[in-house]
């Protein structure tokens, strides 16, 4: 397992670098976020020992169970929250995560602003856009994205640095990547979190600065 993870990380990192170069971009303009959800802390530690430092989790409770211990050993790790955040978990999320990628609705934005003022902890945030307008999926609809960005950034004062999306599973992701890039461009946001195991190279061609890769690094996940 340990050897596999190091080898998988090396292979995925190489593909990230090749995709960036192929797109005429600097290799270090893309950050690989290793998505460790459902995998135990011992597995994450293998990735840390292989030199990787940036991780993604989609549940606050799971992040709290795994990462404080790992952070003691590896103080320079960075944890991104990439899954839906309930307002009653905002305080916990701010204390355990370094980046919140899933700001997706006004009530959550308000709760984050309040708790940031209270705690003084202000991790950078991304707004999640539901580019496919899927009813069951998190994210602000594209038509409401500009107004929501203004609300978060200018009225609530959230440290919004970019956008994130998870395209519909059965659609060509390029259209969604292009849409996210366009919303970011017109709002002058420089960070784009898009692309997963199946399509991260394509996302890099469309300007992804962060790719969130789980399966290609850690293997298949069991059922949650
Ligand atoms: C699980 C997850 C990923 C990683 O998906 P893989 O296909 O395993 O690479 C990326 N982004 C989000 C939001 C996820 O929940």
């Amino acid at each position: 397992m340990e050897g596999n993870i190091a080898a998988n990380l090396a292979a995925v990192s190489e593909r990230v670098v090749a995709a960036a170069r192929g797109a005429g971009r600097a290799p270090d303009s893309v950050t690989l976020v290793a998505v460790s959800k459902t995998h135990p802390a011992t597995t994450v530690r293998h990735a840390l020992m292989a030199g990787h430092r940036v991780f993604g989790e989609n549940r606050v409770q799971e992040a709290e169970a795994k990462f404080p211990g790992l952070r003691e050993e590896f103080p320079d790790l960075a944890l991104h929250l990439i899954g839906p955040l309930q307002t009653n978990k905002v305080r916990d999320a701010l204390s355990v995560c370094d980046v919140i990628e899933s700001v997706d609705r006004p009530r959550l934005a308000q709760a984050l602003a309040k708790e940031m003022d209270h705690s003084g902890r202000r991790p950078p945030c991304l707004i999640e856009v539901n580019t496919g307008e899927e009813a069951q999926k998190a994210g602000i609809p594209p038509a409401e994205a500009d107004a929501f960005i203004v609300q978060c950034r200018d009225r609530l004062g959230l440290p919004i640095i970019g956008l994130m999306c998870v395209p519909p599973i059965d659609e060509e992701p390029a259209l969604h990547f292009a849409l996210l890039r366009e919303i970011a461009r017109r709002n002058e946001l420089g960070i784009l979190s898009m692309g997963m195991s199946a399509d991260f190279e394509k996302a890099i061609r469309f300007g992804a600065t962060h790719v969130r890769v789980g399966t290609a690094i850690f293997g298949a996940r069991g059922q949650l």
Side-chain angles (χ1 to χ4, degrees):
M1 189 55 155
E2 184 170 347
N4 277 349
I5 289 172
N8 292 348
L9 268 170
V12 171
S13 299
E14 241 171 71
R15 287 169 61 192
V16 166
V17 167
R21 290 221 173 91
R25 301 178 52 196
D28 65 1
S29 67
V30 184
T31 299
L32 174 60
V33 179
V35 177
S36 50
K37 66 185 183 204
T38 78
H39 298 286
T42 51
T43 303
V44 181
R45 185 177 290 107
H46 292 320
L48 284 157
M49 289 188 312
H52 197 75
R53 288 295 179 270
V54 187
F55 296 88
E57 285 283 340
N58 68 348
R59 293 178 175 207
V60 175
Q61 237 167 331
E62 188 178 343
E64 281 181 307
K66 281 150 64 172
F67 276 84
L70 293 167
R71 208 186 282 278
E72 279 179 25
E73 274 180 84
F74 301 92
D76 57 339
L77 73 77
L79 178 61
H80 292 222
L81 182 68
I82 62 170
L85 175 55
Q86 294 167 275
T87 51
N88 65 358
K89 290 271 169 33
V90 160
R91 179 170 304 176
D92 299 337
L94 289 182
S95 73
V96 77
C97 300
D98 303 289
V99 178
I100 311 274
E101 295 204 15
S102 47
V103 182
D104 63 353
R105 60 197 191 281
R107 247 173 63 78
L108 173 61
Q110 284 156 10
L112 280 166
K114 193 172 164 204
E115 188 55 34
M116 282 184 188
D117 287 346
H118 186 254
S119 67
R121 250 186 85 79
R122 304 177 60 78
C125 294
L126 280 64
I127 287 173
E128 181 172 359
V129 181
N130 186 357
T131 57
E133 302 184 58
E134 295 173 279
Q136 79 286 5
K137 214 173 243 177
I140 199 89
E144 293 166 32
D146 292 348
F148 186 56
I149 292 165
V150 168
Q151 182 190 11
C152 288
R153 194 167 53 181
D154 303 340
R155 288 219 293 280
L156 293 170
L158 291 180
I160 301 293
I161 59 166
L163 304 178
M164 182 269 248
C165 77
V166 183
I169 199 111
D170 52 356
E171 282 183 31
E172 167 55 49
L175 303 168
H176 299 273
F177 297 155
L179 174 59
L180 198 72
R181 177 177 63 184
E182 172 54 24
I183 298 171
R185 189 200 58 77
R186 67 181 182 235
N187 287 283
E188 297 178 351
L189 292 168
I191 301 296
L192 282 175
S193 173
M194 55 190 196
M196 320 201 313
S197 290
D199 54 19
F200 67 87
E201 284 146 317
K202 185 172 282 179
I204 290 168
R205 287 202 290 281
F206 279 85
T209 61
H210 292 70
V211 292
R212 309 177 309 268
V213 178
T215 310
I217 295 169
F218 295 110
R221 289 179 289 271
Q223 287 304 104
L224 262 183

